[in-house]
Amino acid sequence: MAGGVGLTALLVAAARAIETHRHDSLARDVFAEHFVLAAPACADWPTRIQQVPDGDANPLWGRFARYFGLRTRVLDDFLLRSVRADARQVVLLGAGLDSRAFRLDWPADCVIFEVDRAGVLAFKHEVLDGLSAVPKAMRIPVPIDLRADWSGALAAVGFDPAAPSVWLAEGLLFYLPSTTETQLMDTVDRLCTGGSALAFEVKLDKDLLEYRDSPLYTATTQQIGIDLLTLFNREPRPDSAGSLTGRGWSTAVHTPFEFTRHHGRGPLPEANDALAGNRWVFANKPRS
Ligand code: SAM
């Protein structure tokens, strides 16, 4: 967890902890602060906005953390809607420190597959075991790199492509090589029967370096030493939403700001905004 992209999972956990302690929180994750407190790499990170000297004015722990809080809520709602409809298999790609298996009210027969690299999942288990946390649905960790044959690993632990499923790639795709994203979409399409759903996050920016000096990237580098621009894969991105539409999926592409307006809190557009190109895509595969 200590370095590279694994540390970004801790950044999201810290943001969720801060969101959880807000009086007007959009999502509550009581496990999030325990991940932060357990990791020496983020010993001096805040878990409450009151611990941040400039509070909400801080681009990282104010606006960016609120972004993650909003994203968590919107994707919680998407997953719960999907399992209340058809899907009983949930696949969290690049699950990181996502604790949804432990905190959302899943139907009794739901199975949640968490795919991430072994080190990240091992740290997660250590913390959750220490808390004696009990999942609210059957939870199956799938420790594998998404550049390897992860669909084989998923099949080996019981994923059934003949039954509807719901998939999430939250804060993941921009870390992956472009070809890996294309293969991931191909694989998800192949493993999804009609009635399945997928949500994912993309960045539309042609040149991410355009926002090199944005308050958000600058604060993240200066305050916690995570230079997101060096972790993001900067190859030209595939049009994943378009490719799913071409295969018959129905897709809806939204800005995060639309959800800010819907919920009445969260980030709004600003000048030199590293969030300007972020899009949340919701896709459904119709029954044939
Ligand atoms: N989805 C989680 C969330 O929103 O809390 C985690 C997001 S974190 C920013 C990105 C996650 O993607 C990390 O946990 C990282 O380990 C995982 N990840 C990145 N590249 C990966 C790869 N090649 N294979 C498996 N996981 C990967």
Side-chain angles (χ1 to χ4, degrees):
M1 292 301 293
V5 80
L7 201 51
T8 64
L10 282 162
L11 163 60
V12 183
R16 288 197 184 115
I18 290 174
E19 182 69 26
T20 299
H21 294 299
R22 284 183 181 276
H23 67 89
D24 62 348
S25 65
L26 285 164
R28 294 196 70 248
D29 179 349
V30 297
F31 303 100
E33 72 179 323
H34 294 280
F35 296 124
V36 179
L37 297 173
C42 39
D44 56 350
W45 294 11
T47 54
R48 293 168 186 260
I49 196 66
Q50 293 78 5
Q51 295 163 342
V52 182
D54 49 347
D56 280 326
N58 189 284
L60 169 59
W61 300 123
R63 186 169 184 263
F64 203 17
R66 206 84 238 222
Y67 172 79
F68 291 122
L70 177 71
R71 188 178 79 180
T72 303
R73 167 60 180 275
V74 169
L75 296 174
D76 281 359
D77 290 347
F78 162 77
L79 291 171
L80 289 174
R81 253 193 331 269
S82 303
V83 296
R84 282 174 193 148
D86 284 317
R88 288 295 180 275
Q89 305 179 100
V90 180
V91 187
L92 305 174
L93 297 168
L97 304 175
D98 178 329
S99 67
R100 289 187 172 94
F102 296 81
R103 64 180 182 78
L104 297 184
D105 288 323
W106 302 101
D109 52 349
C110 223
V111 184
I112 299 169
F113 300 91
E114 296 188 359
V115 185
D116 208 306
R117 290 170 310 155
V120 172
L121 292 179
F123 170 77
K124 182 175 185 172
H125 295 160
E126 199 181 301
V127 174
L128 291 171
D129 288 351
L131 296 169
S132 304
V134 179
K136 295 187 172 189
M138 186 193 286
R139 169 175 174 262
I140 304 183
V142 187
I144 192 161
D145 195 297
L146 285 160
R147 291 165 295 187
D149 175 21
W150 58 268
S151 67
L154 205 52
V157 292
F159 177 84
D160 176 9
S165 46
V166 55
W167 300 68
L168 185 61
E170 179 183 22
L172 170 71
L173 297 178
F174 25 76
Y175 297 105
L176 302 179
S178 184
T179 50
T180 306
E181 177 174 338
T182 304
Q183 284 160 8
L184 185 144
M185 291 295 157
D186 291 348
T187 307
V188 172
D189 180 41
R190 180 167 56 78
L191 297 181
C192 281
T193 188
S196 297
L198 161 70
F200 57 97
E201 183 181 32
V202 290
K203 279 182 166 291
L204 296 182
D205 312 291
K206 288 206 175 50
D207 180 9
L208 292 175
L209 292 180
E210 201 182 314
Y211 295 109
R212 188 198 290 109
D213 300 324
S214 64
L216 204 147
Y217 288 150
T218 307
T220 307
T221 307
Q222 290 177 353
Q223 291 176 220
I224 56 173
I226 301 181
D227 181 354
L228 288 168
L229 289 170
T230 63
L231 296 175
F232 292 154
N233 183 295
R234 299 211 304 271
E235 295 166 357
R237 305 313 302 175
D239 176 11
S240 293
S243 103
L244 289 173
T245 310
R247 295 165 203 225
W249 289 62
S250 64
T251 54
V253 181
H254 294 281
T255 67
F257 309 126
E258 293 172 53
F259 292 96
T260 295
R261 293 181 186 110
H262 173 75
H263 287 290
R265 46 210 189 272
L268 286 167
E270 65 175 28
N272 192 12
D273 189 356
L275 298 177
N278 286 36
R279 296 290 181 273
W280 295 343
V281 183
F282 302 86
N284 288 84
K285 189 168 190 170
R287 272 167 244 286
S288 42

